[in-house]
Amino acid sequence: MPLSRRALLGTLAFVTLGGCAQTAAPLVEPVETQVVVFLPGALASQAKPLAAAYAATGATASTEVGHTPVQLEQLAQGATPDVWVAANPANMASAAAQGLVDAAGVTPLARTKLVVVLAPGNPAGVTALQDLAGDGVRVLLAAETLPLWAVTAQTLGKVEATRPGFTAAVLANTRSRELGVQPIVQKVTAGEADAGIVFVTDIGPGVETVAIPDALNTELTLSVAPVTAAKNPAGARAFVTFLTEGAGWELLADAGYLPPAP
Amino acid sequence: MSAARAGDVAVFALPAAVLLALLALPLVALSGQALGGGVGPQLGDPTVVAAVRLSLVTSTLSSLVVVVLGTPLAYVLVRWRFPGRTLVQLVVDLPVVLPPMVAGIALLQVFGRRGWLGDAMAAAGVFLPFTTAAVVVAQVFVAGPFYVRAARLGFAGVDPAVREAARVDGASELQLFGHIMVPVARKAMLGGLVLAWARALGEFGATIFFAGNREGVTQTMPLAIFVGFESDLTVAVGLSFLLLVVSVGVLAAVWLLGDRPGE
């Protein structure tokens, strides 16, 4: 019996020491070749292809997709990815002002724009953005906190300028303010709603859409920056280069992203 | 000897203290943030008021549905042996351990426009997803089992001799149910009801998939917390504190109803 007690105490001491060791230094040393990247929902569909393309360069990228405002909060609370791609220039500016990212390293990455996504077979007969205000059209829009909403609101405002009451009518048709871009795409393409407004770069092949003319459309600029507290600063610089002018950019361009405004 | 005994105690006390701290500290910190951060005015925000009202209405409705449908289910499971009874019990218990998001996606497969009942419901002019009714359905799905389990245990706890005596005296099944079973199982049923109501109040995963997020229609308190976290942290902290207070009240109610652990 004394033996088993000693074993128990020994286990406890080991656990306690292990705990101390963990606070003193990470048990797992950061791998030099791995770069950790926070991506916005606007790049959700590109996360895996980007990681795969980066792996071809001999290094590895671990990507995490989340809402840009949430990721800003996570950075402020001490999250330390190496690279942050933000879907909202205001959030990126805020991060730079707080010193969370390297202000001098903030680079415009790409532009995307809006499109109307339709349910299979287009049951509501939507042929233009203006039809979203029609009677009984079931619309899904982004939650007010998403970068997608900031852009959507501008486009609704452009129609509103010539058709007063348009925004109110679309909002009255809105069945849900979804918490991400992909939830809108998924629920509309599953037929749960008639139409939604999303980024043109979020649409997979075979999905029915209605284009929004440039005069009414609004662009979103994605920006990228190395994180100040990056554990792998060299990897961060390499990944930013990969994204802005390397194979990463080619992949984004193929997926329909536009180069940043000149 | 006493030193050895102290060592013995420490073997248990130290890890216990670590877990206790992990459980208690975040809640203490949340309370401190809420009470010290002046969240009072935030709780008057129209979005918050709408979310609180919707949560109270939907969780009360779903509790009613759970009682009306769940009581007979628990009764049947206790009173009669029938083929497939074990399978029924499994189905009833499953939502307790099922991740709520799975519940939301599964509900869409049945009640969605392209779900099993989608065509029939469309023909009847009923559309469930993105409605307050969908919130209630999601809550019934995730919270119902808590009540059915408790009611089942309550009914099962009735002394068979009392049941038999009532039958011998000529009591019908309805009389047995109303005059013997329910009064004896009352505390267990109430305890289960409080737990189910609290589970419905905190429901997030199934709601976000199945019911969506629309202020005043489907945006319940947990959804408002999630959205608030991205825009106004004080709203999220205030609502979280509110739910914490409610949870403490729920536990107190369950304890008062006699379901005190270790006694």
Side-chain angles (χ1 to χ4, degrees):
Chain A
M1 288 319 271
L3 248 183
S4 92
R5 196 184 72 211
R6 200 176 300 159
L8 273 172
L9 283 169
T11 309
L12 177 68
F14 178 78
V15 167
T16 318
L17 283 174
C20 292
Q22 197 156 12
T23 39
L27 284 176
V28 182
E29 290 296 322
V31 185
E32 279 297 315
T33 55
Q34 164 144 326
V35 59
V36 179
V37 185
F38 275 13
L39 296 175
L43 278 179
S45 51
Q46 302 305 319
K48 279 181 183 165
L50 281 175
Y54 194 62
T57 69
T60 52
S62 168
T63 61
E64 182 177 326
V65 177
H67 304 320
T68 291
V70 169
Q71 289 178 338
L72 174 62
E73 177 70 21
Q74 288 171 337
L75 286 170
Q77 298 279 3
T80 54
D82 300 302
V83 176
W84 187 39
V85 180
N88 186 337
N91 286 148
M92 182 59 94
S94 167
Q98 294 176 55
L100 299 172
V101 299
D102 176 9
V106 176
T107 314
L109 173 60
R111 287 173 300 151
T112 185
K113 58 183 181 178
L114 300 174
V115 70
V116 178
V117 60
L118 299 175
N122 192 9
V126 172
T127 57
L129 173 65
Q130 286 80 350
D131 293 345
L132 296 188
D135 275 348
V137 180
R138 310 170 50 79
V139 180
L140 294 186
L141 293 180
E144 287 181 6
T145 49
L146 298 185
L148 172 58
W149 169 248
V151 181
T152 304
Q154 287 183 47
T155 281
L156 295 179
K158 289 173 191 170
V159 182
E160 176 86 22
T162 53
R163 281 185 56 175
F166 174 74
T167 304
V170 173
L171 287 177
N173 278 344
T174 301
R175 292 302 191 269
S176 177
R177 305 296 298 270
E178 293 294 312
L179 300 177
V181 183
Q182 284 304 321
I184 299 178
V185 176
Q186 298 304 333
K187 288 181 182 180
V188 170
T189 53
E192 300 302 344
D194 298 318
I197 300 179
V198 294
F199 296 121
V200 65
T201 42
D202 292 311
I203 303 293
V207 173
E208 294 178 48
T209 57
V210 168
I212 299 175
D214 283 345
L216 298 175
N217 215 322
T218 309
E219 289 177 347
L220 176 84
T221 299
L222 306 178
S223 47
V224 59
V227 174
T228 311
K231 291 181 178 139
N232 183 3
R237 283 191 299 273
F239 192 83
V240 170
T241 306
F242 160 82
L243 264 189
T244 52
E245 49 198 70
W249 168 248
E250 286 169 27
L251 196 150
L252 291 182
D254 286 347
Y257 291 87
L258 306 166
Chain B
M1 204 50 208
S2 70
R5 224 170 273 154
D8 279 355
V9 172
V11 170
F12 294 98
L14 284 180
V18 170
L19 183 56
L20 183 65
L22 178 66
L23 296 176
L25 282 182
L27 300 180
V28 172
L30 172 66
S31 306
Q33 179 74 27
L35 296 174
V39 295
Q42 299 289 351
L43 292 180
D45 183 274
T47 303
V48 172
V49 172
V52 171
R53 183 185 298 141
L54 181 70
S55 273
L56 290 178
V57 169
T58 53
S59 58
T60 304
L61 281 175
S62 56
S63 297
L64 273 174
V65 172
V66 163
V67 168
V68 169
L69 304 179
T71 308
L73 177 55
Y75 194 74
V76 166
L77 283 170
V78 169
R79 282 288 285 134
W80 294 287
R81 300 278 175 277
F82 52 89
R85 182 169 164 275
T86 309
L87 186 64
V88 172
Q89 289 192 336
L90 181 76
V91 170
V92 171
D93 282 347
L94 201 54
V96 173
V97 292
L98 194 70
M101 303 211 172
V102 177
I105 290 174
L107 285 167
L108 273 179
Q109 306 312 311
V110 175
F111 298 108
R113 194 186 267 185
R114 306 175 114 203
W116 284 1
L117 301 181
D119 289 339
M121 289 169 62
V126 181
F127 194 85
L128 199 53
F130 309 120
T131 63
T132 304
V135 178
V136 174
V137 170
Q139 289 176 347
V140 168
F141 187 96
V142 298
F146 288 88
Y147 173 76
V148 176
R149 279 166 72 102
R152 205 170 71 200
L153 288 174
F155 289 141
V158 177
D159 189 344
V162 175
R163 255 174 20 205
E164 281 314 306
R167 298 293 285 174
V168 168
D169 287 345
S172 71
E173 191 65 45
L174 274 179
Q175 285 170 325
L176 175 67
F177 173 79
H179 295 300
I180 308 279
M181 299 294 271
V182 168
V184 173
R186 188 176 46 98
K187 273 194 169 183
M189 292 165 71
L190 275 176
L193 179 60
V194 173
L195 279 182
W197 176 75
R199 178 65 190 84
L201 196 67
E203 162 48 35
F204 174 82
T207 309
I208 190 65
F209 276 101
F210 183 51
N213 172 46
R214 190 179 182 191
E215 189 177 319
V217 180
T218 57
Q219 190 183 72
T220 55
M221 285 166 76
L223 270 70
I225 289 174
F226 189 86
V227 174
F229 184 76
E230 298 179 12
S231 54
D232 189 347
L233 200 57
T234 51
V235 166
V237 169
L239 277 173
S240 300
F241 179 66
L242 211 58
L243 282 179
L244 174 61
V245 171
V246 169
S247 302
V248 170
V250 164
L251 261 195
V254 171
W255 280 23
L256 284 176
L257 289 166
D259 189 21
R260 204 174 307 205
E263 286 183 19

